[in-house]
Amino acid sequence: MPEIILTDKNFENEVIKSAIPVLVDFWAPWCGPCQIQGPIIDELAKEAATAKIGKLNVDENQATASKFGVMSIPTLMIFKNGSVFEQMVGVQQKNALKKKMEEAAK
Amino acid sequence: MPEATKTINIIIIGSGPAGYTAGIYAGRAQLKPLLFTGEEPGGQLSWTTEVENYPGFPDGVQGPELMNKFRDQAEKFGAEIVDAKVEKVDFSARPFKIWSSGKEYQSRAVIIVTGASANWLGLENEKRLKGRGVSSCATCDGFFFRGKDVVVVGGGDVALEDAITLAKVAKSVKIIHRRDCLRASEFMQKRARENEKISFVWNSEVIDVLGDQKVAGVRVKNNQTSEETEIKCDGVFVAIGHHPNTEMFKGQIDLEDRFGYIVLHGGSRTSVEGVFAAGDVADFKYRQAVTAAGMGCMAALDAEKWLESQN
Ligand SMILES: Cc1cc2nc3c(=O)[nH]c(=O)nc-3n(C[C@H](O)[C@H](O)[C@H](O)COP(=O)(O)OP(=O)(O)OC[C@H]3O[C@@H](n4cnc5c(N)ncnc54)[C@H](O)[C@@H]3O)c2cc1C
């Protein structure tokens, strides 16, 4: 599934109300490690055909970032049934994310 | 991915400036190097934004962008890149053995370029509150502390640079340092002292990070008077230096006593013939991207020569 650009506006519909788990990458353009994480997320989205993956720019969507207490980027969260299933701080590798997504899908 | 049983010419462990440069040279020498990126593809420069002193970029370049270019160049010349970490090595017999993601690899030569990683205070609550106010990346996370009070732990150039970065958004920045003077360069000290938002807490060690769901403060102990006090803050930025990533090589190659840097002999040779090292993992003096790259080149050339001599 192509990745979704998440915003304060569509977060509720795309993530909180989603029927399947969603992996969200909280990032910002000025953050070095986020630029390492970005392509990993892109690749994951390409490979994992059934997974739902989105990116949220914390600079432009501060309400959502602060609602979930993001204070360090990149932060990756997996949402399941409307709540946080898993939270990871710092760059995460593709395989680790895959595994976590599979767990969430169980 | 290569067969685990096939012997590879060169395995490169690490993907910072030293690793990719070794990959470029070994690739051009037709050695078909296999390069493991580890958990931090691109190495330390991935953590920074603007790099202003890498030659060839008069207008500066973004760290991650520079490292992506290094990677492309290594791949172009035939380096095979594996996005995984090396878990174990055995240098006691040749070919050398290396394990990654549960697979065994055999290699005739090895180049160690595992670089250095940031030190943490090693406190239980520091770990618990990572990403909840505890950070080691001021440029990444300063944004979340707009109008807030933060502390920076450390006294070197990086600590002061972090403090100056944070002072642009935070309400106040306290630098907590173990000594009564700074290790940082005169230039950085002057800039920090002239900044009205920055103040110093001397002779003090952070002994605990306070806060339930997020950071609320730190407990510090004055190492002259043993007096303990609490400092309220929303963010704790740790900048207390780096350590070489050599844990995995203990008992396999000679490491220097104090901090565990790899000891080099004449260029890039380690104490084990056929194992070479380069960059921050073996250099506590210069620690620059350009020197790491230069050393990576040396290691690849040395390894190439050595492999030829074995034929
Ligand atoms: C915030 C910051 C800003 C900086 N700014 C500058 C600057 O402006 N200019 C400058 O010249 N220098 C700068 N430096 C210093 C520069 O980044 C380093 O000197 C340089 O990156 C060292 O390169 P290296 O290849 O030796 O190792 P590193 O860059 O440390 O890379 C080490 C690599 O080894 C890998 N690794 C570690 N363990 C394993 C394992 N078990 N298996 C596989 N791989 C592993 C890691 O994933 C990583 O890819 C900065 C450093 C920091 C932290």
Side-chain angles (χ1 to χ4, degrees):
Chain A
M1 225 184 268
E3 43 189 78
I4 311 160
I5 306 299
L6 296 167
T7 63
D8 284 344
K9 279 210 184 91
N10 69 5
F11 200 82
E12 180 75 18
N13 266 330
E14 293 285 4
V15 180
I16 301 301
K17 291 185 178 159
S18 169
I20 55 169
V22 190
L23 173 69
V24 182
D25 174 16
F26 293 86
W27 73 287
W30 67 77
C31 146
C34 298
Q35 293 177 44
I36 296 289
Q37 187 70 70
I40 298 175
I41 296 290
D42 296 346
E43 256 182 59
L44 185 67
K46 257 185 232 145
E47 284 175 26
T50 57
K52 193 168 176 183
I53 297 172
K55 282 187 180 176
L56 184 118
N57 180 328
V58 298
D59 193 15
E60 292 163 358
N61 303 283
Q62 300 186 16
T64 306
S66 100
K67 184 172 169 194
F68 293 99
V70 175
M71 295 175 93
S72 189
I73 44 175
T75 282
L76 292 121
M77 290 190 197
I78 298 174
F79 288 81
K80 185 180 178 177
N81 302 328
S83 54
V84 180
F85 173 81
E86 178 86 46
Q87 174 174 355
M88 298 155 272
V89 178
V91 175
Q92 305 293 320
Q93 294 305 313
K94 198 170 65 187
N95 287 338
L97 290 172
K98 245 188 200 159
K99 243 187 230 156
K100 294 265 159 72
M101 282 299 276
E102 281 162 13
E103 276 168 34
K106 270 183 201 155
Chain B
M1 217 173 265
E3 286 292 309
T5 45
K6 198 178 80 184
T7 301
I8 297 154
N9 288 315
I10 293 196
I11 283 184
I12 299 169
I13 312 176
S15 60
Y20 284 144
T21 304
I24 293 166
Y25 276 79
R28 277 174 58 89
Q30 309 294 329
L31 292 169
K32 296 197 171 59
L34 184 64
L35 185 152
F36 291 92
T37 63
E39 287 173 332
E40 214 177 87
Q44 290 171 61
L45 278 193
S46 313
W47 297 95
T48 185
T49 46
E50 192 87 350
V51 178
E52 292 181 329
N53 53 11
Y54 199 84
F57 297 89
D59 302 321
V61 57
Q62 298 291 309
E65 186 192 331
L66 179 65
M67 293 322 297
N68 283 338
K69 283 186 198 283
F70 269 63
R71 182 178 175 133
D72 290 348
Q73 199 169 351
E75 273 181 322
K76 177 178 160 188
F77 291 117
E80 186 176 345
I81 297 177
V82 183
D83 280 297
K85 171 182 172 181
V86 170
E87 280 124 27
K88 209 175 100 179
V89 297
D90 182 357
F91 297 156
S92 62
R94 287 192 231 146
F96 305 121
K97 292 198 187 89
I98 276 166
W99 288 267
S100 173
S101 310
K103 259 170 74 178
E104 182 187 310
Y105 296 82
Q106 300 198 345
S107 185
R108 298 166 69 207
V110 172
I111 298 178
I112 301 173
V113 274
T114 48
S117 296
N119 289 333
W120 292 96
L121 296 164
L123 302 168
E124 192 91 6
N125 285 325
E126 170 194 47
K127 206 167 158 194
R128 183 174 59 83
L129 292 166
K130 234 180 245 178
R132 296 277 176 202
V134 174
S135 171
S136 67
C137 184
T139 52
C140 308
D141 301 338
F143 165 79
F144 298 104
F145 299 88
R146 188 169 297 278
K148 304 255 170 87
D149 299 306
V150 301
V151 300
V152 173
V153 190
D157 273 333
V158 176
L160 295 201
E161 216 172 301
D162 283 358
I164 291 163
T165 302
L166 291 164
K168 287 179 193 152
V169 293
K171 187 165 88 190
S172 76
V173 182
K174 287 195 172 72
I175 297 174
I176 303 175
H177 187 42
R178 207 106 87 119
R179 279 177 264 250
D180 61 0
C181 62
L182 297 165
R183 258 180 302 126
S185 63
E186 271 310 316
F187 174 72
M188 291 301 295
Q189 291 201 30
K190 188 162 175 286
R191 280 182 63 193
R193 288 214 169 89
E194 281 169 1
N195 194 311
E196 283 175 358
K197 286 188 185 171
I198 299 177
S199 59
F200 293 88
V201 181
W202 302 110
N203 294 317
S204 295
E205 288 167 36
V206 173
I207 54 171
D208 201 3
V209 181
L210 312 169
D212 184 19
Q213 289 302 309
K214 53 183 190 168
V215 169
V218 289
R219 177 180 287 278
V220 298
K221 182 175 176 176
N222 184 304
N223 55 27
Q224 305 292 307
T225 63
S226 291
E227 189 192 348
E228 290 185 18
T229 46
E230 279 180 25
I231 299 175
K232 275 202 183 132
C233 61
D234 306 285
V236 182
F237 288 81
V238 181
I240 51 171
H242 288 75
H243 62 271
N245 295 317
T246 50
E247 193 61 33
M248 185 168 57
F249 309 111
K250 266 187 195 153
Q252 306 253 359
I253 54 172
D254 286 353
L255 305 176
E256 153 276 340
D257 289 336
R258 260 184 83 195
F259 302 106
Y261 286 89
I262 294 175
V263 180
L264 295 183
H265 310 273
S268 67
R269 287 184 293 119
T270 70
S271 59
V272 175
E273 206 187 316
V275 178
F276 304 83
D280 281 16
V281 74
D283 163 32
F284 45 85
K285 191 166 171 199
Y286 303 106
R287 295 187 299 195
Q288 296 298 307
V290 66
T291 49
M295 290 173 80
C297 158
M298 288 159 62
L301 293 176
D302 288 347
E304 183 189 351
K305 268 244 167 66
W306 181 79
L307 282 168
E308 272 168 17
S309 76
Q310 299 295 300
N311 286 333

